[in-house]
């Protein structure tokens, strides 16, 4: 049996005004997958245990085999664990050396010198070679590739002798092959006795890499499953049926008219784009490392122009300046989280005001505003509660806000709806709702363009045959 690092029995944790009930059991050299039903509540509270934001109110806590109190457990975690999340820390002023030595945590001069000596040791050189990290320490951090940046994070945990490494949703930013390479870099830490937590929403990734999966539902640890239970049992717990036979081949839908035609559209550092999307189609463009999405989002929502090529909407070619005038009317942009800054919703306005703000200008100048607003309310009441529609959106629960953001496009009916990473960061329980809304928009005649990382697992889980029929892969 592996030596235990942390154990919490019947743990009650407090975050802000909410209580969470988590059972923790972490041993040396163990790789644990953590799957949550709601990342914004249970997930944030669980991660905050390792960031110092969730306080233990009651329960039994053990650290390295010794009974400890909540404060002692928190102190041990903060001193001995590192979190690597999907948000890259980049700076042109800081170097690789700064990142792995100077920016880790407050330490005294002696500890810093000891780490510097270790960095220059043959042992560190061997670890760097095993992780395939061949970059100079004086290189600017901003110039490091995405894969090497996360390898550096792993090496930093090795260099500082961290007992626990938490990897937070890296499947959302790394391509599959890079993810496999990163996990090879994690292997030396596991062999040395460091425990690793994979905090992710990708079940297939956790299947391959985890010694155990803990399932968090309704703000508490509900299940602890081992590899022999990963199949039907875990699928059943997560609320969907396990189907074999791989992902169905999509693209059976035949649209009647071409809405979007892109010919040799080129951006810096990207291969030219060349494809077309018909009305009623859901066209999927794979982007494993978010580079294409950044370029395209900067094009539609920022000032970045394409280097060359043609963008045609309903047969008309547009320049970049002309194209930006169509955003919000002829072209809808759905970002990953519509309630974030620069999203598609105004949280301080009521749902009705959100709809009126985008629909009234379409109705023309000579209208009875009150009558049109009443018509909008009547139409929206078929989808949402009438009283709720007249409340500020910030009071709505997340799933309803998310559904409403797609409903806005359904009602506005742009010619083209572009969805950036619609499933990223969303709970598995919400995937089916997003799929239903994508189909609803496509069925109205929109050309739906989805830019995301792989969606094979989502296609495997869905029972929505219409989604699979309309889905077509662009690359």
């Amino acid at each position: 049996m592996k030596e235990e690092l942390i154990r919490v029995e019947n743990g009650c944790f407090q975050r802000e005004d909410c209580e969470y009930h988590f059972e923790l059991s972490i041993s040396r050299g163990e790789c644990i997958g953590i799957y949550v039903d709601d990342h914004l509540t249970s997930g944030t509270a669980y991660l905050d245990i390792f960031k110092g934001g969730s306080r233990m109110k009651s329960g039994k806590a053990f650290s390295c085999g010794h009974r400890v109190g909540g404060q002692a457990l928190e102190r041990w975690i903060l001193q001995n664990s590192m979190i690597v999340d999907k948000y890259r820390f980049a700076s042109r002023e800081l170097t690789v050396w700064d990142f792995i030595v100077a920016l880790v945590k407050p330490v005294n001069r002696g500890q810093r010198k000891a780490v510097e000596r270790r960095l220059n040791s043959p042992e560190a050189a061997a670890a760097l070679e095993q992780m395939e990290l061949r970059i100079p320490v004086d290189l600017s951090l901003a110039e490091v590739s995405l894969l090497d940046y996360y390898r550096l994070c792993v090496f930093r945990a090795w260099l500082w002798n961290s007992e626990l490494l938490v990897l937070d949703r890296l499947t959302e930013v790394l391509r599959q092959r890079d993810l496999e390479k990163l996990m090879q870099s994690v292997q030396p830490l596991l062999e040395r006795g460091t425990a690793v937590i994979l905090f992710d929403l990708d079940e297939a990734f956790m299947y391959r890499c985890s010694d155990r999966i803990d399932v968090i539902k309704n703000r508490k640890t509900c299940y602890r499953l081992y590899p022999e239970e990963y199949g039907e049992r875990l699928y059943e717990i997560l609320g969907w049926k396990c189907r074999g036979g791989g992902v169905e081949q999509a693209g059976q839908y035949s649209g009647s008219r071409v809405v979007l035609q892109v010919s040799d559209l080129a951006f810096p550092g990207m291969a030219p784009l060349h494809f077309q999307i018909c009305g009623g189609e859901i066209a999927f463009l794979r982007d494993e490392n978010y580079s294409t999405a950044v370029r395209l989002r900067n094009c539609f929502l920022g000032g970045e122009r394409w280097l060359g090529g043609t963008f045609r909407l309903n047969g008309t070619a547009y320049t970049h300046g002309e194209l930006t005038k169509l955003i919000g009317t002829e072209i809808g942009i759905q970002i990953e989280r519509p309630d974030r800054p620069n999203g598609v919703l105004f949280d301080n306005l009521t749902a009705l005001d959100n709809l009126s703000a985008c629909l009234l200008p379409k109705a023309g100048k000579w209208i009875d505003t009150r009558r049109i607003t009443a018509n909008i309310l009547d139409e929206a009441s078929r989808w949402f509660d009438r009283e709720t529609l007249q409340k500020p959106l910030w009071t709505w629960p997340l799933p309803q806000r998310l559904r409403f953001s797609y409903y806005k496009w359904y009602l506005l009916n742009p010619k083209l709806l572009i969805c950036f990473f619609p499933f990223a960061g969303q709970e598995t329980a919400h995937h089916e709702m997003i799929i239903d809304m994508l189909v609803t928009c496509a069925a109205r005649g929109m050309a739906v363009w989805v830019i995301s990382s792989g969606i094979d697992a989502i296609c495997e889980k869905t029972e929505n045959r219409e989604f699979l029929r309309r889905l077509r892969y662009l690359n």
Side-chain angles (χ1 to χ4, degrees):
M1 178 177 282
K2 295 180 179 179
E3 182 185 351
E4 187 177 76
L5 282 177
I6 298 173
R7 176 161 47 98
V8 176
E9 299 174 355
N10 301 314
C12 177
F13 292 84
Q14 177 102 27
R15 182 182 180 272
E16 296 177 347
D17 295 328
C18 296
E19 290 186 354
Y20 302 82
H21 298 271
F22 297 137
E23 302 270 345
L24 276 66
S25 176
I26 303 170
S27 299
R28 294 188 185 279
E30 189 174 41
C31 188
I32 303 166
I34 305 293
Y35 190 97
V36 295
D37 63 337
D38 190 337
H39 189 82
L40 290 176
T41 54
S42 299
T44 301
Y46 196 95
L47 268 179
D48 272 0
I49 294 174
F50 305 98
K51 295 178 180 179
S54 293
R55 308 295 181 190
M56 183 174 167
K57 290 182 61 181
S58 61
K60 293 182 180 179
F62 300 85
S63 173
C64 300
H66 301 287
R67 176 77 182 268
V68 294
Q71 289 186 343
L73 178 69
E74 180 182 327
R75 198 161 45 245
W76 187 95
I77 289 174
L78 292 177
Q79 290 173 351
N80 295 282
S81 66
M82 284 192 184
I83 296 180
V84 179
D85 63 29
K86 65 177 183 177
Y87 301 106
R88 173 174 178 161
F89 178 78
S91 169
R92 297 203 172 276
E93 292 76 26
L94 298 174
T95 65
V96 168
W97 186 93
D98 295 326
F99 181 67
I100 60 178
V101 175
L103 295 179
V104 178
K105 52 188 174 182
V107 292
N108 60 42
R109 187 186 177 110
Q111 291 171 309
R112 177 72 46 77
K113 288 295 182 184
V115 169
E116 290 177 16
R117 286 195 298 271
R118 190 167 188 231
L119 178 60
N120 295 316
S121 69
E123 183 187 16
L128 287 167
E129 184 63 29
Q130 190 173 359
M131 295 180 187
E132 298 183 11
L133 262 175
R134 304 180 183 94
I135 53 177
V137 294
D138 59 351
L139 183 69
S140 168
L141 190 61
E143 296 178 37
V144 175
S145 72
L146 196 63
L147 173 59
D148 280 347
Y149 168 77
Y150 287 111
R151 281 171 165 166
L152 272 177
C153 293
V154 174
F155 175 73
R156 185 164 70 160
W158 179 92
L159 185 68
W160 286 85
N161 287 318
S162 292
E163 302 271 19
L164 176 62
L165 177 67
V166 181
L167 304 180
D168 179 23
R169 293 172 295 164
L170 297 189
T171 56
E172 295 181 14
V173 292
L174 287 175
R175 292 173 292 186
Q176 185 59 51
R177 63 176 179 270
D178 288 343
L179 199 61
E180 299 296 336
K181 291 177 181 177
L182 178 68
M183 293 311 295
Q184 291 172 12
S185 300
V186 171
Q187 197 59 38
L189 271 72
L190 290 168
E191 293 171 357
R192 190 191 65 179
T194 300
V196 176
I197 290 180
L198 305 180
F199 198 86
D200 216 282
L201 300 173
D202 187 326
E203 307 92 54
F205 168 61
M206 289 193 290
Y207 292 170
R208 292 194 305 274
C209 302
S210 303
D211 300 318
R212 185 186 91 223
I213 294 178
D214 287 2
V215 179
I216 312 297
K217 297 188 73 173
N218 301 321
R219 299 182 178 179
K220 64 181 179 182
T221 303
C222 290
Y223 303 97
R224 180 161 290 162
L225 304 178
Y226 293 86
E228 60 272 15
E229 303 172 282
Y230 281 2
E232 296 280 357
R233 178 63 176 145
L234 182 57
Y235 280 52
E236 174 191 337
I237 287 169
L238 298 180
W240 46 273
K241 297 177 181 177
C242 177
R243 301 204 321 256
V247 179
E248 293 189 20
Q249 290 297 316
Q252 303 166 24
Y253 180 79
S254 178
S256 57
R257 62 185 173 88
V258 175
V259 172
L260 174 64
Q261 186 169 16
V262 170
S263 303
D264 298 318
L265 201 66
F267 293 92
M270 264 179 58
L273 298 174
H274 185 91
F275 58 84
Q276 64 182 33
I277 307 175
C278 294
E281 275 190 328
I282 301 173
F284 170 64
L285 180 69
R286 187 183 297 272
D287 178 18
E288 294 288 0
N289 60 7
Y290 210 73
S291 58
T292 302
V294 168
R295 294 294 190 195
L296 290 171
R297 190 160 66 175
N298 288 344
C299 171
F300 291 111
L301 299 178
E304 184 168 329
R305 300 171 181 268
W306 53 76
L307 300 177
T310 307
F311 187 101
R312 293 181 182 273
L313 191 66
N314 270 11
T316 303
Y318 290 93
T319 66
H320 178 266
E322 294 168 335
L323 183 69
T324 54
K325 296 176 183 177
L326 304 179
I327 305 301
T329 53
E330 301 299 309
I331 300 175
I333 306 291
Q334 177 79 11
I335 66 172
E336 306 94 308
R337 288 293 306 280
D339 51 349
R340 285 180 180 166
N342 301 319
V344 299
L345 301 178
F346 299 98
D347 261 12
N348 290 329
L349 297 182
T350 67
L352 179 60
D353 288 338
N354 268 271
L355 295 177
S356 299
C358 64
L359 289 169
L360 286 177
K362 271 190 111 174
K365 293 182 179 179
W366 311 108
I367 59 171
D368 182 343
T369 301
R370 292 176 63 182
R371 182 170 60 84
I372 295 295
T373 302
N375 289 344
I376 293 171
L377 180 59
D378 288 341
E379 174 65 26
S381 297
R382 297 163 54 188
W383 290 70
F384 305 94
D385 179 74
R386 193 180 186 91
E387 290 183 3
T388 305
L389 285 164
Q390 299 177 73
K391 294 180 180 178
L393 273 178
W394 66 264
T395 65
W396 287 37
L398 173 63
Q400 286 295 83
R401 285 204 308 274
L402 188 60
R403 185 167 180 254
F404 180 81
S405 69
Y406 285 95
Y407 175 71
K408 171 188 169 180
W409 298 125
Y410 166 79
L411 217 54
L412 186 60
N413 196 20
K415 293 182 175 69
L416 172 67
L417 176 60
I418 306 174
C419 302
F420 289 101
F421 282 71
F423 301 102
Q426 305 296 347
E427 316 311 329
T428 300
H430 304 159
H431 287 178
E432 206 64 34
M433 179 268 289
I434 295 171
I435 287 172
D436 288 342
M437 295 308 293
L438 289 174
V439 170
T440 299
C441 291
R444 195 157 192 208
M446 299 177 215
V448 180
W449 181 11
V450 174
I451 302 158
S452 184
S453 54
I455 59 171
D456 290 352
I458 291 169
C459 292
E460 174 68 26
K461 289 180 278 187
T462 185
E463 298 290 339
N464 193 318
R465 317 308 298 175
E466 190 66 15
F467 174 74
L468 297 174
R469 187 175 76 87
R470 292 177 183 271
L471 184 64
R472 180 169 66 88
Y473 290 87
L474 296 177
N475 57 349

